[in-house]
Amino acid sequence: MAYLSLKEINKIYPNGYHAVHNFNLDIEKGEFIVFVGPSGCGKSTTLRMIAGLEDISKGDFLINGKRANEWGPQQREVAMVFQSYALYPQMTVYDNIAFSLTLMGVDEDEIDARVRKTAGILGLTDYLDRLPRALSGGQRQRVAIGRAIIRKVGVFLMDEPLSNLDAKQRVTMRSEIAQIHRSTGATTIYVTHDQTEAMTLADRIVVMKDGYVQQTGTPKELYFNPVNVFVAGFIGEPPMNFVRGRVENGSVAFGANRLNVAEKLGGKAAAWEGREIVLGFRPEAIRLQDPADALTVKAQVELTEMLGDNANVYVDADGSKAILKVTPHEIPEMDTELTFYLPKSQIYLFDGESENVIET
Ligand code: ADP
């Protein structure tokens, strides 16, 4: 039996807006789950229904197999870390972290032991006497996490906890959150619009769009086996390149290039003749030397970006654009023609209408 179970969960706000549709997910104890998707897709709404801060309009939420729809946040044993840290400005770090235990009437020796242990995990031991205003953004966020993890609850819910930090602090806090999860082993549900955060933190990712779950899977599953154009384009940076076109004589046009997809479509090739498909390939899948079994593409180099360990090459084939990832030693000259190769095994084909992957 799963620890947490969301069965056909729906949220219809009082104004009639249907924000979440038939959300299904089983979560095992200790898992790190990330809800990811563009702003407004229903991530926070789903998290808040799990927290007990928002009513569930339809469907069942189970904790250890028991229906918990009507339970309050206390009974659910969840702790939430918000985007705004919501620290008490007049209280020291120590008192902020201790606050919930003080409210519960836990005895002082135990509070002291737990505050010091929590501060140790979070690297806050030297800051316990400070007020929040004397801390950096990253340290404040750690205090907010400390307030949540000191409570020994079953589930941590985090809503965009890193969005108020600058880029460098975000990377540092991201690895700290991963370490905290490893050391506490606590079940965590984390909301973000950032695919990198999702990919680096999650055991499993739930990709959402317009209130619907698109796909649930491990970072690797989503990267290698996206079920549709949306997931394929959302996971990966730079995103997957897409070539949309009608299948004619078994191939689609990419500028003046004909990309033969008949072999990839196998027995279904005839059925796709004349229909629109989307061919996808990741920037990092291309080769500059012809590997066996690849499609050849010629395009103009528009722009190159040296990033250090790799480089992005923006190419244009008669108006059809793509981004290619190459090593720093392979950067071509701008405004020259470049020939590159797409290994057939690394091409994705989607139905042009439904945008779902074509199973071949
Ligand atoms: P996300 O967290 O993915 O950015 P939200 O869950 O916050 O998205 O919101 C999902 C959708 O529900 C949005 O279109 C938002 O405007 C709408 N929404 C959120 N809260 C309310 C509310 N109280 N009443 C009506 N609509 C809401």
Side-chain angles (χ1 to χ4, degrees):
M1 180 177 55
Y3 174 37
L4 303 177
S5 201
L6 290 87
K7 294 194 185 301
E8 300 288 314
I9 296 279
N10 282 262
K11 178 67 189 183
I12 302 162
Y13 279 109
N15 68 358
Y17 186 74
H18 200 153
V20 178
H21 298 256
N22 303 331
F23 191 111
N24 286 299
L25 183 67
D26 281 344
I27 300 174
E28 300 300 331
K29 241 196 171 87
E31 268 196 297
F32 199 121
I33 300 285
V34 177
F35 297 167
V36 73
S39 180
C41 69
K43 308 179 293 290
S44 290
T45 301
T46 308
L47 194 74
R48 293 169 62 82
M49 286 193 283
I50 294 170
L53 299 172
E54 201 69 72
D55 288 339
I56 295 168
S57 311
K58 220 164 65 183
D60 293 315
F61 173 54
L62 311 179
I63 300 178
N64 287 321
K66 294 199 191 83
R67 189 169 189 276
N69 288 41
E70 321 303 336
W71 296 5
Q74 288 289 5
Q75 200 182 353
R76 294 181 192 207
E77 302 194 325
V78 298
M80 188 138 167
V81 179
F82 295 94
Q83 180 176 340
S84 59
Y85 318 127
L87 301 180
Y88 298 103
Q90 75 285 13
M91 286 188 194
T92 61
V93 168
Y94 186 105
D95 290 336
N96 264 286
I97 296 176
F99 188 67
S100 63
L101 300 188
T102 312
L103 276 188
M104 285 190 272
V106 176
D107 79 60
E108 261 178 47
D109 286 348
E110 186 177 347
I111 292 180
D112 192 64
R114 278 163 69 177
V115 168
R116 289 183 191 284
K117 183 163 176 235
T118 305
I121 292 172
L122 294 164
L124 290 169
T125 305
D126 294 341
Y127 303 94
L128 287 171
D129 295 332
R130 291 211 194 166
L131 292 174
R133 67 165 179 269
L135 299 175
S136 71
Q139 289 165 339
R140 282 180 212 168
Q141 188 53 283
R142 269 183 259 163
V143 178
I145 293 171
R147 277 201 322 194
I149 66 176
I150 199 167
R151 285 178 46 207
K152 292 186 181 163
V153 295
V155 193
F156 294 113
L157 306 174
M158 302 197 184
D159 194 350
E160 303 257 5
L162 308 186
S163 57
N164 288 339
L165 304 180
D166 66 35
K168 205 168 164 195
Q169 286 176 325
R170 267 209 302 276
V171 174
T172 312
M173 267 317 285
R174 198 172 74 201
S175 65
E176 285 184 16
I177 287 176
Q179 272 162 13
I180 293 164
H181 179 248
R182 259 198 302 277
S183 63
T184 61
T187 311
T188 305
I189 310 176
Y190 184 106
V191 160
T192 180
H193 61 272
D194 182 314
Q195 68 92 29
T196 312
E197 264 173 42
M199 291 294 275
T200 51
L201 285 170
D203 293 319
R204 281 191 303 149
I205 299 174
V206 180
V207 182
M208 297 181 73
K209 181 192 170 211
D210 299 336
Y212 290 90
V213 172
Q214 302 291 304
Q215 187 170 4
T216 302
T218 64
K220 267 192 186 165
E221 282 164 355
L222 298 189
Y223 180 84
F224 287 112
N225 297 308
V227 296
N228 60 27
V229 169
F230 180 80
V231 175
F234 196 82
I235 300 291
E237 178 56 35
M240 186 183 280
N241 296 295
F242 297 113
V243 179
R244 186 176 270 277
R246 216 164 275 290
V247 181
E248 284 169 13
N249 296 322
S251 65
V252 286
F254 181 43
N257 306 280
R258 299 297 311 178
L259 305 181
N260 192 321
V261 293
E263 193 186 322
K264 186 94 184 170
L265 287 168
K268 295 180 177 169
W272 282 96
E273 195 59 29
R275 291 170 63 188
E276 195 164 86
I277 65 160
V278 177
L279 179 153
F281 64 93
R282 293 205 181 271
E284 55 274 31
I286 65 109
R287 297 287 171 267
L288 296 180
Q289 277 82 40
D290 191 3
D293 227 11
L295 304 177
T296 308
V297 184
K298 287 188 195 321
Q300 285 291 118
V301 177
E302 282 198 317
L303 180 73
T304 61
E305 282 175 345
M306 168 64 183
L307 299 169
D309 56 344
N310 63 66
N312 293 333
V313 180
Y314 293 73
V315 298
D316 176 304
D318 306 311
S320 299
K321 314 259 183 193
I323 304 177
L324 319 178
K325 210 182 241 190
V326 301
T327 71
H329 309 290
E330 296 172 324
I331 302 173
E333 290 293 320
M334 286 198 235
D335 300 318
T336 57
E337 189 183 73
L338 178 72
T339 303
F340 61 92
Y341 303 90
L342 308 178
K344 285 183 188 159
S345 60
Q346 297 195 48
I347 287 169
Y348 295 86
L349 299 178
F350 304 91
D351 181 330
E353 229 168 88
S354 68
E355 301 207 332
N356 290 329
V357 76
I358 300 172
E359 304 286 353
T360 53

